[in-house]
Amino acid sequence: MATRSLWRTRAKLAVAATAFCGGGAAAAAIATSDDPATALKVFTIVPRRLLRDSITAASIVFDYEYSLWGLPEGSNERAKIKHEVHLRSARKLQELCFRNGGIYIKLGQHIGQLEYLVPQEYVQTMRASMLNRCPVSTYDQVCEVFKKELGDTPDKVFDEFDPKPIASASLAQVHVARTHDGQKVAVKVSIFVQHTHMTDTAAADQATVEFLVNTLHWLFPSFDYRWLVAEIRESLPKELDFLIEAKNSVKCLENFRKLSPHIADYVYAPKVHWSLSTSKLLTMEFMDGAQVNDVITIRRLGIQPNEVARLVSRTFAEMIFKHGFVHCDPHAANLLVRPLPSGKRSIFGKKKPQLILLDHGLYKELDFSTRFSYASLWRALVFADANEIKVNSVKLGAGEDLYALFAGILTMKPWNRVIDPAVDHLVLKGTDSDRSELQMYASQYFPQISKLLSRLPRNILLMLKTNDCLRAVNNSLLQGSSLETFLIIGKVSSEAVFEAKMMQKKSLFRWLIIQLEELLLEARLLAMQMALWLLQVKKALTWT
């Protein structure tokens, strides 16, 4: 009973401290507002959110302590109860994110990608609801945005405008419209100006969430999600400016045309209608296509899912290792697939896919040193080179004590599998045993994982987020990962390392060494490709 009493005291302290200090932080944000009416609106909204946050946090923590109290570690009963608590808590957190909206939904989206850190119940709950099924704003609120940004209502600006959005996310919702010259377009409307108080509320929400996470970390030192809040705080201003998003989409396609012309035709982004776009409204070419995780529709289009998986892997490998300008939010709702407009087909008569990239708000530029080290690390991971994995992990900020854990997070494999010389050592099968193994490691090494994530630089954290999103996409397309995906990563990262070394060559002898290294790597990749082909033949024979 003493344990329960102590827990109740801690929970009450967390609620009180969060409400008091979070209120002070929110009040500071509100005080900067130039509009007294806006400040008053924020003042009435923020306390309700603070109270809601505090009650939800205390309820979740109390549920864990009370429900698991006295149950022996490792017992079947504890595992069963823990699963139920995970599920209840994930739903409470989901409800909190939806009720508060905006930044909270963004936080929920991030949690939905953290397979290596949070229980599967949270991942599945957040992924199922946080990508494009978020709460929507009313048409009247959309009209307010149009009048403020373009000086008139949607029905005047466009020939046709559907008041019902086709998608809604954390920061915006999308409507279908038709311009006066007959072009079908998608109109992205920021939710942060649909009420005049939303921008100030966003600042208060940031302060509140940050204080809540800090408080929980103070009560439970192993619970450290401060890095996640810092990441959202850094990326949010850019995501709220749609003109930055529009420019990112243009630069992305230019990079493919200049730096990766061999796949430029296979990657597309909607054209922007600049005269109908502002920092809070973005009008783009409307795109028809299947969402990348909709395997049934992809097959119906005459496209093979494994072709899509290869294209996704190649596209983002080129961005990360060669362009250094990376789309860091490639979750399923932001990737569409359609048949290549040229009508080109594979040797088996299947249509070739084209990948359509949506939502270009969150990009990260990697400097030469970071890009070179990250490409070298992935090349080492594919070839199971333990020394190079350590060297490049340390260069990227993981440290000599946590480099093996960093490699494990990137590949979702334990260290002994990461350095296994077997050709398929990194392949995830997507089975229940794979998932339970990952959850076991996440639980076992939670403090170390939190320490690593708080240590890594922001650009590497965004690469992890991108990696998590791509893994989820591959899992939906292939029910796991494939050796071919890792061969693509190995090939593109090797090409990037080779190109970087050639830029730095200082003598003919060095040039010869680099060329020899490249030939040896090409030979290893060819051997792995042959092994893949033999595995596919063996599998085909087994099925027959």
Side-chain angles (χ1 to χ4, degrees), residues 139-158 161 175 177 187-189 193-194 276 278 280-283:
Y139 180 63
D140 287 341
Q141 291 163 352
V142 172
C143 288
E144 287 179 28
V145 180
F146 266 82
K147 284 187 279 190
K148 182 176 180 181
E149 296 297 310
L150 295 177
D152 219 330
T153 54
D155 58 307
K156 298 288 179 26
V157 174
F158 294 101
F161 187 90
H175 295 259
V187 184
K188 185 174 181 179
V189 185
V193 290
Q194 288 171 0
L276 295 172
T278 71
K280 304 302 177 188
L281 274 174
L282 181 59
T283 304

PDB file of all heavy atoms in Angstrom, residues 139-158 161 175 177 187-189 193-194 276 278 280-283:
ATOM      1  N   TYR A 139     -16.321  24.614 -43.087  1.00  0.00           N
ATOM      2  CA  TYR A 139     -16.170  25.397 -44.319  1.00  0.00           C
ATOM      3  C   TYR A 139     -16.107  26.892 -44.009  1.00  0.00           C
ATOM      4  O   TYR A 139     -15.374  27.639 -44.671  1.00  0.00           O
ATOM      5  CB  TYR A 139     -17.334  25.097 -45.263  1.00  0.00           C
ATOM      6  CG  TYR A 139     -17.271  25.862 -46.569  1.00  0.00           C
ATOM      7  CD1 TYR A 139     -16.220  25.656 -47.462  1.00  0.00           C
ATOM      8  CD2 TYR A 139     -18.252  26.798 -46.894  1.00  0.00           C
ATOM      9  CE1 TYR A 139     -16.144  26.357 -48.658  1.00  0.00           C
ATOM     10  CE2 TYR A 139     -18.182  27.505 -48.087  1.00  0.00           C
ATOM     11  CZ  TYR A 139     -17.142  27.283 -48.960  1.00  0.00           C
ATOM     12  OH  TYR A 139     -17.060  27.982 -50.140  1.00  0.00           O
ATOM     13  N   ASP A 140     -16.842  27.341 -43.003  1.00  0.00           N
ATOM     14  CA  ASP A 140     -16.797  28.758 -42.617  1.00  0.00           C
ATOM     15  C   ASP A 140     -15.381  29.160 -42.190  1.00  0.00           C
ATOM     16  O   ASP A 140     -14.914  30.260 -42.514  1.00  0.00           O
ATOM     17  CB  ASP A 140     -17.776  29.037 -41.475  1.00  0.00           C
ATOM     18  CG  ASP A 140     -19.224  29.029 -41.940  1.00  0.00           C
ATOM     19  OD1 ASP A 140     -19.444  29.180 -43.162  1.00  0.00           O
ATOM     20  OD2 ASP A 140     -20.118  28.869 -41.089  1.00  0.00           O
ATOM     21  N   GLN A 141     -14.718  28.272 -41.485  1.00  0.00           N
ATOM     22  CA  GLN A 141     -13.348  28.560 -41.058  1.00  0.00           C
ATOM     23  C   GLN A 141     -12.401  28.599 -42.254  1.00  0.00           C
ATOM     24  O   GLN A 141     -11.480  29.419 -42.306  1.00  0.00           O
ATOM     25  CB  GLN A 141     -12.899  27.515 -40.033  1.00  0.00           C
ATOM     26  CG  GLN A 141     -13.642  27.630 -38.706  1.00  0.00           C
ATOM     27  CD  GLN A 141     -13.513  26.394 -37.842  1.00  0.00           C
ATOM     28  OE1 GLN A 141     -12.985  25.370 -38.271  1.00  0.00           O
ATOM     29  NE2 GLN A 141     -13.998  26.488 -36.614  1.00  0.00           N
ATOM     30  N   VAL A 142     -12.637  27.704 -43.226  1.00  0.00           N
ATOM     31  CA  VAL A 142     -11.836  27.715 -44.450  1.00  0.00           C
ATOM     32  C   VAL A 142     -12.043  29.044 -45.189  1.00  0.00           C
ATOM     33  O   VAL A 142     -11.092  29.639 -45.710  1.00  0.00           O
ATOM     34  CB  VAL A 142     -12.208  26.524 -45.348  1.00  0.00           C
ATOM     35  CG1 VAL A 142     -11.528  26.628 -46.720  1.00  0.00           C
ATOM     36  CG2 VAL A 142     -11.823  25.207 -44.675  1.00  0.00           C
ATOM     37  N   CYS A 143     -13.287  29.506 -45.226  1.00  0.00           N
ATOM     38  CA  CYS A 143     -13.584  30.791 -45.885  1.00  0.00           C
ATOM     39  C   CYS A 143     -12.832  31.946 -45.224  1.00  0.00           C
ATOM     40  O   CYS A 143     -12.359  32.869 -45.911  1.00  0.00           O
ATOM     41  CB  CYS A 143     -15.085  31.063 -45.858  1.00  0.00           C
ATOM     42  SG  CYS A 143     -16.039  30.015 -46.978  1.00  0.00           S
ATOM     43  N   GLU A 144     -12.695  31.884 -43.896  1.00  0.00           N
ATOM     44  CA  GLU A 144     -11.946  32.920 -43.185  1.00  0.00           C
ATOM     45  C   GLU A 144     -10.506  32.976 -43.678  1.00  0.00           C
ATOM     46  O   GLU A 144      -9.936  34.057 -43.865  1.00  0.00           O
ATOM     47  CB  GLU A 144     -11.963  32.642 -41.678  1.00  0.00           C
ATOM     48  CG  GLU A 144     -13.296  32.913 -40.992  1.00  0.00           C
ATOM     49  CD  GLU A 144     -13.218  32.587 -39.506  1.00  0.00           C
ATOM     50  OE1 GLU A 144     -12.099  32.677 -38.931  1.00  0.00           O
ATOM     51  OE2 GLU A 144     -14.257  32.230 -38.921  1.00  0.00           O
ATOM     52  N   VAL A 145      -9.916  31.798 -43.875  1.00  0.00           N
ATOM     53  CA  VAL A 145      -8.534  31.739 -44.351  1.00  0.00           C
ATOM     54  C   VAL A 145      -8.431  32.344 -45.751  1.00  0.00           C
ATOM     55  O   VAL A 145      -7.536  33.153 -46.031  1.00  0.00           O
ATOM     56  CB  VAL A 145      -8.019  30.278 -44.370  1.00  0.00           C
ATOM     57  CG1 VAL A 145      -6.577  30.240 -44.869  1.00  0.00           C
ATOM     58  CG2 VAL A 145      -8.127  29.649 -42.997  1.00  0.00           C
ATOM     59  N   PHE A 146      -9.349  31.982 -46.634  1.00  0.00           N
ATOM     60  CA  PHE A 146      -9.328  32.487 -48.009  1.00  0.00           C
ATOM     61  C   PHE A 146      -9.458  34.013 -48.040  1.00  0.00           C
ATOM     62  O   PHE A 146      -8.734  34.694 -48.777  1.00  0.00           O
ATOM     63  CB  PHE A 146     -10.456  31.846 -48.830  1.00  0.00           C
ATOM     64  CG  PHE A 146     -10.017  30.622 -49.574  1.00  0.00           C
ATOM     65  CD1 PHE A 146      -9.952  29.388 -48.935  1.00  0.00           C
ATOM     66  CD2 PHE A 146      -9.667  30.686 -50.911  1.00  0.00           C
ATOM     67  CE1 PHE A 146      -9.548  28.258 -49.609  1.00  0.00           C
ATOM     68  CE2 PHE A 146      -9.265  29.556 -51.602  1.00  0.00           C
ATOM     69  CZ  PHE A 146      -9.200  28.335 -50.948  1.00  0.00           C
ATOM     70  N   LYS A 147     -10.385  34.535 -47.236  1.00  0.00           N
ATOM     71  CA  LYS A 147     -10.576  35.990 -47.240  1.00  0.00           C
ATOM     72  C   LYS A 147      -9.326  36.712 -46.721  1.00  0.00           C
ATOM     73  O   LYS A 147      -8.958  37.776 -47.231  1.00  0.00           O
ATOM     74  CB  LYS A 147     -11.810  36.353 -46.393  1.00  0.00           C
ATOM     75  CG  LYS A 147     -13.132  36.046 -47.113  1.00  0.00           C
ATOM     76  CD  LYS A 147     -14.322  36.549 -46.344  1.00  0.00           C
ATOM     77  CE  LYS A 147     -14.718  35.619 -45.238  1.00  0.00           C
ATOM     78  NZ  LYS A 147     -16.021  35.955 -44.617  1.00  0.00           N
ATOM     79  N   LYS A 148      -8.688  36.105 -45.742  1.00  0.00           N
ATOM     80  CA  LYS A 148      -7.485  36.718 -45.192  1.00  0.00           C
ATOM     81  C   LYS A 148      -6.306  36.616 -46.159  1.00  0.00           C
ATOM     82  O   LYS A 148      -5.515  37.559 -46.289  1.00  0.00           O
ATOM     83  CB  LYS A 148      -7.125  36.038 -43.866  1.00  0.00           C
ATOM     84  CG  LYS A 148      -5.913  36.643 -43.177  1.00  0.00           C
ATOM     85  CD  LYS A 148      -5.669  35.997 -41.823  1.00  0.00           C
ATOM     86  CE  LYS A 148      -4.446  36.610 -41.148  1.00  0.00           C
ATOM     87  NZ  LYS A 148      -4.165  35.988 -39.832  1.00  0.00           N
ATOM     88  N   GLU A 149      -6.193  35.489 -46.856  1.00  0.00           N
ATOM     89  CA  GLU A 149      -5.015  35.241 -47.699  1.00  0.00           C
ATOM     90  C   GLU A 149      -5.187  35.734 -49.138  1.00  0.00           C
ATOM     91  O   GLU A 149      -4.244  36.242 -49.741  1.00  0.00           O
ATOM     92  CB  GLU A 149      -4.693  33.743 -47.702  1.00  0.00           C
ATOM     93  CG  GLU A 149      -4.302  33.178 -46.348  1.00  0.00           C
ATOM     94  CD  GLU A 149      -3.012  33.789 -45.804  1.00  0.00           C
ATOM     95  OE1 GLU A 149      -2.026  33.827 -46.558  1.00  0.00           O
ATOM     96  OE2 GLU A 149      -3.010  34.242 -44.651  1.00  0.00           O
ATOM     97  N   LEU A 150      -6.379  35.521 -49.713  1.00  0.00           N
ATOM     98  CA  LEU A 150      -6.593  35.862 -51.130  1.00  0.00           C
ATOM     99  C   LEU A 150      -7.669  36.921 -51.345  1.00  0.00           C
ATOM    100  O   LEU A 150      -7.963  37.294 -52.478  1.00  0.00           O
ATOM    101  CB  LEU A 150      -6.941  34.598 -51.928  1.00  0.00           C
ATOM    102  CG  LEU A 150      -5.839  33.523 -52.018  1.00  0.00           C
ATOM    103  CD1 LEU A 150      -6.353  32.299 -52.769  1.00  0.00           C
ATOM    104  CD2 LEU A 150      -4.584  34.068 -52.689  1.00  0.00           C
ATOM    105  N   GLY A 151      -8.287  37.369 -50.258  1.00  0.00           N
ATOM    106  CA  GLY A 151      -9.222  38.479 -50.365  1.00  0.00           C
ATOM    107  C   GLY A 151     -10.632  38.117 -50.762  1.00  0.00           C
ATOM    108  O   GLY A 151     -11.485  38.999 -50.936  1.00  0.00           O
ATOM    109  N   ASP A 152     -10.932  36.812 -50.906  1.00  0.00           N
ATOM    110  CA  ASP A 152     -12.293  36.411 -51.288  1.00  0.00           C
ATOM    111  C   ASP A 152     -12.549  34.978 -50.838  1.00  0.00           C
ATOM    112  O   ASP A 152     -11.637  34.270 -50.393  1.00  0.00           O
ATOM    113  CB  ASP A 152     -12.477  36.523 -52.804  1.00  0.00           C
ATOM    114  CG  ASP A 152     -13.871  37.052 -53.173  1.00  0.00           C
ATOM    115  OD1 ASP A 152     -14.821  36.788 -52.409  1.00  0.00           O
ATOM    116  OD2 ASP A 152     -13.983  37.728 -54.205  1.00  0.00           O
ATOM    117  N   THR A 153     -13.800  34.535 -50.976  1.00  0.00           N
ATOM    118  CA  THR A 153     -14.176  33.190 -50.550  1.00  0.00           C
ATOM    119  C   THR A 153     -13.807  32.162 -51.626  1.00  0.00           C
ATOM    120  O   THR A 153     -13.610  32.522 -52.789  1.00  0.00           O
ATOM    121  CB  THR A 153     -15.688  33.123 -50.278  1.00  0.00           C
ATOM    122  OG1 THR A 153     -16.388  33.582 -51.445  1.00  0.00           O
ATOM    123  CG2 THR A 153     -16.056  33.973 -49.079  1.00  0.00           C
ATOM    124  N   PRO A 154     -13.710  30.871 -51.256  1.00  0.00           N
ATOM    125  CA  PRO A 154     -13.299  29.848 -52.213  1.00  0.00           C
ATOM    126  C   PRO A 154     -14.168  29.784 -53.472  1.00  0.00           C
ATOM    127  O   PRO A 154     -13.652  29.550 -54.573  1.00  0.00           O
ATOM    128  CB  PRO A 154     -13.417  28.546 -51.413  1.00  0.00           C
ATOM    129  CG  PRO A 154     -13.292  28.957 -49.991  1.00  0.00           C
ATOM    130  CD  PRO A 154     -13.888  30.316 -49.903  1.00  0.00           C
ATOM    131  N   ASP A 155     -15.489  29.994 -53.341  1.00  0.00           N
ATOM    132  CA  ASP A 155     -16.375  29.888 -54.502  1.00  0.00           C
ATOM    133  C   ASP A 155     -16.154  31.023 -55.496  1.00  0.00           C
ATOM    134  O   ASP A 155     -16.541  30.915 -56.666  1.00  0.00           O
ATOM    135  CB  ASP A 155     -17.844  29.866 -54.047  1.00  0.00           C
ATOM    136  CG  ASP A 155     -18.226  31.097 -53.251  1.00  0.00           C
ATOM    137  OD1 ASP A 155     -17.521  31.401 -52.269  1.00  0.00           O
ATOM    138  OD2 ASP A 155     -19.214  31.766 -53.608  1.00  0.00           O
ATOM    139  N   LYS A 156     -15.497  32.102 -55.050  1.00  0.00           N
ATOM    140  CA  LYS A 156     -15.156  33.200 -55.963  1.00  0.00           C
ATOM    141  C   LYS A 156     -13.756  32.996 -56.558  1.00  0.00           C
ATOM    142  O   LYS A 156     -13.513  33.299 -57.733  1.00  0.00           O
ATOM    143  CB  LYS A 156     -15.210  34.532 -55.209  1.00  0.00           C
ATOM    144  CG  LYS A 156     -16.592  34.854 -54.652  1.00  0.00           C
ATOM    145  CD  LYS A 156     -17.553  35.227 -55.742  1.00  0.00           C
ATOM    146  CE  LYS A 156     -18.957  35.532 -55.242  1.00  0.00           C
ATOM    147  NZ  LYS A 156     -19.112  35.998 -53.897  1.00  0.00           N
ATOM    148  N   VAL A 157     -12.852  32.515 -55.745  1.00  0.00           N
ATOM    149  CA  VAL A 157     -11.469  32.299 -56.202  1.00  0.00           C
ATOM    150  C   VAL A 157     -11.416  31.170 -57.225  1.00  0.00           C
ATOM    151  O   VAL A 157     -10.653  31.231 -58.199  1.00  0.00           O
ATOM    152  CB  VAL A 157     -10.548  31.976 -54.997  1.00  0.00           C
ATOM    153  CG1 VAL A 157      -9.141  31.604 -55.477  1.00  0.00           C
ATOM    154  CG2 VAL A 157     -10.486  33.164 -54.039  1.00  0.00           C
ATOM    155  N   PHE A 158     -12.248  30.139 -57.010  1.00  0.00           N
ATOM    156  CA  PHE A 158     -12.264  28.975 -57.914  1.00  0.00           C
ATOM    157  C   PHE A 158     -13.623  28.861 -58.598  1.00  0.00           C
ATOM    158  O   PHE A 158     -14.637  29.360 -58.097  1.00  0.00           O
ATOM    159  CB  PHE A 158     -11.980  27.688 -57.131  1.00  0.00           C
ATOM    160  CG  PHE A 158     -10.594  27.612 -56.562  1.00  0.00           C
ATOM    161  CD1 PHE A 158     -10.351  27.895 -55.221  1.00  0.00           C
ATOM    162  CD2 PHE A 158      -9.515  27.262 -57.367  1.00  0.00           C
ATOM    163  CE1 PHE A 158      -9.079  27.839 -54.695  1.00  0.00           C
ATOM    164  CE2 PHE A 158      -8.235  27.200 -56.851  1.00  0.00           C
ATOM    165  CZ  PHE A 158      -8.009  27.488 -55.515  1.00  0.00           C
ATOM    166  N   PHE A 161     -15.406  24.414 -55.846  1.00  0.00           N
ATOM    167  CA  PHE A 161     -14.642  24.144 -54.623  1.00  0.00           C
ATOM    168  C   PHE A 161     -15.464  23.220 -53.740  1.00  0.00           C
ATOM    169  O   PHE A 161     -16.585  23.553 -53.354  1.00  0.00           O
ATOM    170  CB  PHE A 161     -14.322  25.438 -53.875  1.00  0.00           C
ATOM    171  CG  PHE A 161     -13.404  25.243 -52.691  1.00  0.00           C
ATOM    172  CD1 PHE A 161     -12.031  25.321 -52.845  1.00  0.00           C
ATOM    173  CD2 PHE A 161     -13.917  24.978 -51.423  1.00  0.00           C
ATOM    174  CE1 PHE A 161     -11.183  25.148 -51.754  1.00  0.00           C
ATOM    175  CE2 PHE A 161     -13.083  24.786 -50.333  1.00  0.00           C
ATOM    176  CZ  PHE A 161     -11.706  24.878 -50.499  1.00  0.00           C
ATOM    177  N   HIS A 175      -8.607  20.268 -49.901  1.00  0.00           N
ATOM    178  CA  HIS A 175      -9.884  20.305 -50.620  1.00  0.00           C
ATOM    179  C   HIS A 175      -9.630  20.182 -52.127  1.00  0.00           C
ATOM    180  O   HIS A 175      -8.589  20.615 -52.625  1.00  0.00           O
ATOM    181  CB  HIS A 175     -10.607  21.630 -50.352  1.00  0.00           C
ATOM    182  CG  HIS A 175     -11.017  21.819 -48.923  1.00  0.00           C
ATOM    183  ND1 HIS A 175     -12.303  21.616 -48.484  1.00  0.00           N
ATOM    184  CD2 HIS A 175     -10.297  22.188 -47.834  1.00  0.00           C
ATOM    185  CE1 HIS A 175     -12.361  21.863 -47.185  1.00  0.00           C
ATOM    186  NE2 HIS A 175     -11.151  22.213 -46.768  1.00  0.00           N
ATOM    187  N   ALA A 177     -10.646  21.339 -55.913  1.00  0.00           N
ATOM    188  CA  ALA A 177     -11.244  22.515 -56.562  1.00  0.00           C
ATOM    189  C   ALA A 177     -10.951  22.478 -58.056  1.00  0.00           C
ATOM    190  O   ALA A 177     -10.190  21.637 -58.537  1.00  0.00           O
ATOM    191  CB  ALA A 177     -10.697  23.798 -55.933  1.00  0.00           C
ATOM    192  N   VAL A 187      -6.223  21.934 -52.937  1.00  0.00           N
ATOM    193  CA  VAL A 187      -5.957  23.160 -52.181  1.00  0.00           C
ATOM    194  C   VAL A 187      -5.701  22.790 -50.721  1.00  0.00           C
ATOM    195  O   VAL A 187      -6.579  22.262 -50.038  1.00  0.00           O
ATOM    196  CB  VAL A 187      -7.135  24.146 -52.283  1.00  0.00           C
ATOM    197  CG1 VAL A 187      -6.786  25.454 -51.579  1.00  0.00           C
ATOM    198  CG2 VAL A 187      -7.512  24.397 -53.736  1.00  0.00           C
ATOM    199  N   LYS A 188      -4.493  23.075 -50.278  1.00  0.00           N
ATOM    200  CA  LYS A 188      -4.097  22.780 -48.895  1.00  0.00           C
ATOM    201  C   LYS A 188      -4.296  24.039 -48.050  1.00  0.00           C
ATOM    202  O   LYS A 188      -3.767  25.099 -48.364  1.00  0.00           O
ATOM    203  CB  LYS A 188      -2.634  22.332 -48.873  1.00  0.00           C
ATOM    204  CG  LYS A 188      -2.128  21.873 -47.520  1.00  0.00           C
ATOM    205  CD  LYS A 188      -0.717  21.305 -47.664  1.00  0.00           C
ATOM    206  CE  LYS A 188      -0.177  20.821 -46.336  1.00  0.00           C
ATOM    207  NZ  LYS A 188       1.183  20.246 -46.481  1.00  0.00           N
ATOM    208  N   VAL A 189      -5.065  23.891 -46.973  1.00  0.00           N
ATOM    209  CA  VAL A 189      -5.427  25.038 -46.134  1.00  0.00           C
ATOM    210  C   VAL A 189      -4.861  24.830 -44.734  1.00  0.00           C
ATOM    211  O   VAL A 189      -5.097  23.798 -44.106  1.00  0.00           O
ATOM    212  CB  VAL A 189      -6.964  25.187 -46.045  1.00  0.00           C
ATOM    213  CG1 VAL A 189      -7.332  26.447 -45.275  1.00  0.00           C
ATOM    214  CG2 VAL A 189      -7.589  25.201 -47.427  1.00  0.00           C
ATOM    215  N   VAL A 193      -4.441  29.129 -39.155  1.00  0.00           N
ATOM    216  CA  VAL A 193      -4.977  30.480 -39.298  1.00  0.00           C
ATOM    217  C   VAL A 193      -6.493  30.436 -39.467  1.00  0.00           C
ATOM    218  O   VAL A 193      -7.124  31.429 -39.754  1.00  0.00           O
ATOM    219  CB  VAL A 193      -4.369  31.211 -40.524  1.00  0.00           C
ATOM    220  CG1 VAL A 193      -2.926  31.535 -40.269  1.00  0.00           C
ATOM    221  CG2 VAL A 193      -4.531  30.404 -41.794  1.00  0.00           C
ATOM    222  N   GLN A 194      -7.087  29.277 -39.266  1.00  0.00           N
ATOM    223  CA  GLN A 194      -8.534  29.197 -39.383  1.00  0.00           C
ATOM    224  C   GLN A 194      -9.218  29.850 -38.190  1.00  0.00           C
ATOM    225  O   GLN A 194     -10.397  30.170 -38.234  1.00  0.00           O
ATOM    226  CB  GLN A 194      -8.957  27.736 -39.529  1.00  0.00           C
ATOM    227  CG  GLN A 194      -8.580  27.188 -40.895  1.00  0.00           C
ATOM    228  CD  GLN A 194      -8.795  25.707 -40.987  1.00  0.00           C
ATOM    229  OE1 GLN A 194      -9.232  25.078 -40.033  1.00  0.00           O
ATOM    230  NE2 GLN A 194      -8.491  25.122 -42.127  1.00  0.00           N
ATOM    231  N   LEU A 276      -2.127  31.334 -56.833  1.00  0.00           N
ATOM    232  CA  LEU A 276      -3.201  30.955 -55.911  1.00  0.00           C
ATOM    233  C   LEU A 276      -2.637  30.359 -54.621  1.00  0.00           C
ATOM    234  O   LEU A 276      -3.317  29.602 -53.923  1.00  0.00           O
ATOM    235  CB  LEU A 276      -4.132  29.939 -56.586  1.00  0.00           C
ATOM    236  CG  LEU A 276      -4.917  30.448 -57.805  1.00  0.00           C
ATOM    237  CD1 LEU A 276      -5.634  29.304 -58.494  1.00  0.00           C
ATOM    238  CD2 LEU A 276      -5.905  31.541 -57.383  1.00  0.00           C
ATOM    239  N   THR A 278      -0.197  31.050 -50.974  1.00  0.00           N
ATOM    240  CA  THR A 278       0.407  31.968 -49.999  1.00  0.00           C
ATOM    241  C   THR A 278       1.080  31.105 -48.930  1.00  0.00           C
ATOM    242  O   THR A 278       1.110  29.880 -49.043  1.00  0.00           O
ATOM    243  CB  THR A 278      -0.655  32.867 -49.334  1.00  0.00           C
ATOM    244  OG1 THR A 278      -1.452  32.063 -48.443  1.00  0.00           O
ATOM    245  CG2 THR A 278      -1.553  33.528 -50.365  1.00  0.00           C
ATOM    246  N   LYS A 280      -0.089  30.364 -46.197  1.00  0.00           N
ATOM    247  CA  LYS A 280      -1.106  29.579 -45.491  1.00  0.00           C
ATOM    248  C   LYS A 280      -2.080  28.858 -46.425  1.00  0.00           C
ATOM    249  O   LYS A 280      -2.971  28.147 -45.958  1.00  0.00           O
ATOM    250  CB  LYS A 280      -1.906  30.491 -44.540  1.00  0.00           C
ATOM    251  CG  LYS A 280      -1.059  31.256 -43.542  1.00  0.00           C
ATOM    252  CD  LYS A 280      -0.226  30.338 -42.673  1.00  0.00           C
ATOM    253  CE  LYS A 280       0.677  31.117 -41.728  1.00  0.00           C
ATOM    254  NZ  LYS A 280       1.632  30.238 -41.004  1.00  0.00           N
ATOM    255  N   LEU A 281      -1.928  29.041 -47.719  1.00  0.00           N
ATOM    256  CA  LEU A 281      -2.754  28.352 -48.729  1.00  0.00           C
ATOM    257  C   LEU A 281      -1.836  27.838 -49.832  1.00  0.00           C
ATOM    258  O   LEU A 281      -1.018  28.598 -50.344  1.00  0.00           O
ATOM    259  CB  LEU A 281      -3.758  29.321 -49.355  1.00  0.00           C
ATOM    260  CG  LEU A 281      -5.102  29.542 -48.673  1.00  0.00           C
ATOM    261  CD1 LEU A 281      -5.851  30.654 -49.400  1.00  0.00           C
ATOM    262  CD2 LEU A 281      -5.941  28.269 -48.665  1.00  0.00           C
ATOM    263  N   LEU A 282      -2.001  26.586 -50.189  1.00  0.00           N
ATOM    264  CA  LEU A 282      -1.161  26.030 -51.253  1.00  0.00           C
ATOM    265  C   LEU A 282      -2.055  25.332 -52.280  1.00  0.00           C
ATOM    266  O   LEU A 282      -2.774  24.386 -51.953  1.00  0.00           O
ATOM    267  CB  LEU A 282      -0.159  25.025 -50.664  1.00  0.00           C
ATOM    268  CG  LEU A 282       0.808  24.369 -51.635  1.00  0.00           C
ATOM    269  CD1 LEU A 282       1.652  25.408 -52.366  1.00  0.00           C
ATOM    270  CD2 LEU A 282       1.718  23.376 -50.897  1.00  0.00           C
ATOM    271  N   THR A 283      -2.017  25.831 -53.514  1.00  0.00           N
ATOM    272  CA  THR A 283      -2.813  25.251 -54.599  1.00  0.00           C
ATOM    273  C   THR A 283      -1.893  24.492 -55.536  1.00  0.00           C
ATOM    274  O   THR A 283      -0.924  25.048 -56.063  1.00  0.00           O
ATOM    275  CB  THR A 283      -3.566  26.349 -55.375  1.00  0.00           C
ATOM    276  OG1 THR A 283      -4.367  27.100 -54.454  1.00  0.00           O
ATOM    277  CG2 THR A 283      -4.455  25.748 -56.441  1.00  0.00           C
TER     278      THR A 283
END
